[in-house]
Amino acid sequence: MELQQLHTATTRNDSVSNSNSMIAPLIHTPPRPRQNDLQARKLSARIDAFFTQEDSYSNSQLGVPCEIVKDVTRRRQVSIVYRWTFNYTISYWRIIAGITADMLLLIAAVSEILAQHGRLTKIDAYVLSDIPFWLGLAFYCISAYMSIYQIMHEVEHYRDNLAFRAAVINACGSTVSCWKLFCYVIHYDLAFSAYVACSFFSGCCFLIGGVMLIHQNKGWVFRPYKLAWIVSWLGGISGFCFFCFGVASFFKQSHHETVFLPVGQILGNNVGTFLLLIAHWLGLA
């Protein structure tokens, strides 16, 4: 009898301990954050505070006047749903078209370098270099014309707006470059004068458009915490790189071709396109 009672008590204690072990994870307090987590949170808070600080200058966001930026900020604070409707605005698809163009042009630029060193056949160079170059410029045209459409429907008196004029100039340069690359796709040999005129005109358009955006966002004031300031300077430097490619096109059929033309191609096709890719990615923020 005593052994039976002892066995019953032991069984009850085991069941209680098992139930406690099952409940324990449910009432277990969460661990304290580690020191590394706290430091990471502090660093994140400092970065956010750096990029959200205010100054005495008007915040012209990527060419859009200050009044529109304030109105958009006010609507975002009132309705959280507005943040998710951004995917359906033209500004989103404009930047997506720009990123697509940058990726295609970078693929074409790398393929062109490989073709010049004999790593690609003629057919491979046509597929991986000529066609992506033309498609990339076509997407640039789409992005440029969408910028014009956006400014026309968001800015009053848009014809006097500097960003609208910059978008028109960039659209002209993209269109001329697209037609020049289309001639290579259909195997139409352009005359040397036509090649130089198209390249130089496009380079001038991209340079002027980039400088106008820098002026629109007050680029002479050192404000690296402003997204518009960073993007405008990236666009201006990339425009200068494309301008260097346009100048180097004059030396295509001269004895300086091996010196100036490769430098212009590297600056325009590689450095300038990569800077535009960063600018477009930042534009999604």
Side-chain angles (χ1 to χ4, degrees):
M1 187 67 179
E2 293 179 356
L3 292 174
Q4 186 177 3
Q5 292 178 354
L6 180 62
H7 177 70
T8 304
T10 306
T11 305
R12 290 178 179 176
N13 292 332
D14 293 339
S15 63
V16 172
S17 61
N18 291 332
S19 63
N20 290 334
S21 63
M22 294 175 63
I23 298 175
L26 299 178
I27 62 175
H28 181 66
T29 57
R32 294 182 179 180
R34 299 179 181 179
Q35 188 67 22
N36 295 333
D37 296 338
L38 294 176
Q39 294 178 356
R41 293 177 183 177
K42 291 180 180 179
L43 179 61
S44 177
R46 291 178 181 177
I47 294 175
D48 292 339
F50 177 78
F51 284 103
T52 55
Q53 58 181 304
E54 297 293 337
D55 52 26
S56 58
Y57 296 92
S58 62
N59 185 12
S60 56
Q61 188 176 16
L62 305 182
V64 181
C66 180
E67 293 78 9
I68 296 179
V69 175
K70 290 181 179 179
D71 182 61
V72 170
T73 305
R74 190 181 305 111
R75 284 185 289 171
R76 285 183 177 179
Q77 293 175 354
V78 172
S79 177
I80 302 177
V81 182
Y82 180 81
R83 299 179 181 178
W84 302 105
T85 58
F86 176 72
N87 293 348
Y88 301 97
T89 59
I90 191 172
S91 59
Y92 175 82
W93 299 112
R94 173 181 62 83
I95 297 175
I96 291 298
I99 293 175
T100 305
D102 297 331
M103 297 299 294
L104 289 171
L105 290 179
L106 286 177
I107 293 173
V110 174
S111 301
E112 185 180 22
I113 294 175
L114 294 176
Q116 291 175 354
H117 289 80
R119 301 295 181 87
L120 295 177
T121 62
K122 188 175 181 180
I123 297 178
D124 294 337
Y126 174 77
V127 174
L128 297 176
S129 180
D130 293 344
I131 294 179
F133 265 130
W134 173 66
L135 289 177
L137 266 301
F139 275 102
Y140 265 143
C141 291
I142 295 174
S143 178
Y145 287 111
M146 292 177 72
S147 298
I148 296 175
Y149 181 84
Q150 178 187 0
I151 297 175
M152 289 176 61
H153 289 78
E154 290 185 357
V155 180
E156 296 182 0
H157 309 291
Y158 60 87
R159 294 181 180 178
D160 298 330
N161 186 268
L162 199 61
F164 175 76
R165 298 176 181 177
V168 172
I169 293 175
N170 286 328
C172 294
S174 301
T175 304
V176 172
S177 296
C178 185
W179 279 110
K180 183 187 73 172
L181 270 300
F182 181 72
C183 293
Y184 287 100
V185 171
I186 63 176
H187 299 288
Y188 179 80
D189 294 332
L190 280 176
F192 175 72
S193 58
Y195 170 81
V196 172
C198 292
S199 301
F200 185 72
F201 177 79
S202 300
C204 291
C205 288
F206 293 138
L207 176 61
I208 295 173
V211 172
M212 293 175 72
L213 285 180
I214 291 175
H215 184 271
Q216 176 78 10
N217 293 281
K218 295 180 174 57
W220 60 87
V221 181
F222 186 71
R223 298 188 300 169
Y225 48 87
K226 293 296 183 181
L227 181 63
W229 187 89
I230 299 174
V231 173
S232 62
W233 267 106
L234 288 175
I237 297 174
S238 64
F240 175 76
C241 293
F242 294 130
F243 175 76
C244 292
F245 174 75
V247 174
S249 63
F250 285 95
F251 302 95
K252 185 177 182 180
Q253 294 182 355
S254 66
H255 60 280
H256 298 291
E257 178 181 1
T258 57
V259 178
F260 293 101
L261 191 60
V263 174
Q265 289 177 346
I266 292 175
L267 287 176
N269 297 337
N270 296 277
V271 179
T273 305
F274 182 73
L275 292 177
L276 278 183
L277 178 62
I278 298 175
H280 286 135
W281 276 111
L282 291 177
L284 288 176

